[in-house]
Amino acid sequence: MDLEMVKYLAELGKLKFTDEELEKVGEDMTSIIELMDKVKEIDVVYDPYLDNKNIFLNDLREDKNAKSLDTQKLLSNAKNQQNCFVVPKVVE
């Protein structure tokens, strides 16, 4: 990758580099692009039957409608009775 392209990309990314750093970044970007070109050469075919082969839909439980818990009972031991729980502060 030429230095002008690296300077342009650095400008777009609002990055500042010295001349030595620009050369190093250019070399790194060139090696990354070469690696991605090699990855593109790999023949990959997606097979949905082989993907997620350990999940069997027949083994899932049936989804059933169930009665939810009573709000008043849940909040009976809560300090705040306004339909919420107060938890200790963990971040200051």
Side-chain angles (χ1 to χ4, degrees):
M1 177 173 284
D2 63 12
L3 242 44
E4 293 303 315
M5 179 59 80
V6 176
K7 285 180 185 178
Y8 175 70
L9 292 173
E11 184 180 323
L12 286 177
K14 299 189 185 307
L15 301 172
K16 302 238 187 258
F17 295 112
T18 64
D19 289 338
E20 296 85 25
E21 290 173 330
L22 276 174
E23 288 181 27
K24 175 71 172 125
V25 168
E27 292 170 9
D28 291 346
M29 291 177 83
T30 301
S31 65
I32 291 170
I33 291 170
E34 288 171 357
L35 177 65
M36 296 313 299
D37 286 340
K38 288 225 184 269
V39 169
K40 279 197 249 179
E41 293 173 7
I42 299 172
D43 183 27
V44 178
V45 178
Y46 177 73
D47 186 355
Y49 295 107
L50 295 177
D51 191 24
N52 297 321
K53 60 185 169 199
N54 295 328
I55 298 175
F56 301 102
L57 296 178
N58 295 337
D59 294 341
L60 298 177
R61 69 171 172 80
E62 184 181 344
D63 192 14
K64 294 181 182 176
N65 188 8
K67 184 179 176 188
S68 65
L69 299 172
D70 181 44
T71 304
Q72 293 304 320
K73 185 175 181 182
L74 285 174
L75 294 174
S76 64
N77 292 328
K79 291 181 182 179
N80 187 347
Q81 295 291 321
Q82 297 176 358
N83 285 341
C84 63
F85 289 97
V86 178
V87 297
K89 189 176 181 180
V90 293
V91 177
E92 294 187 28

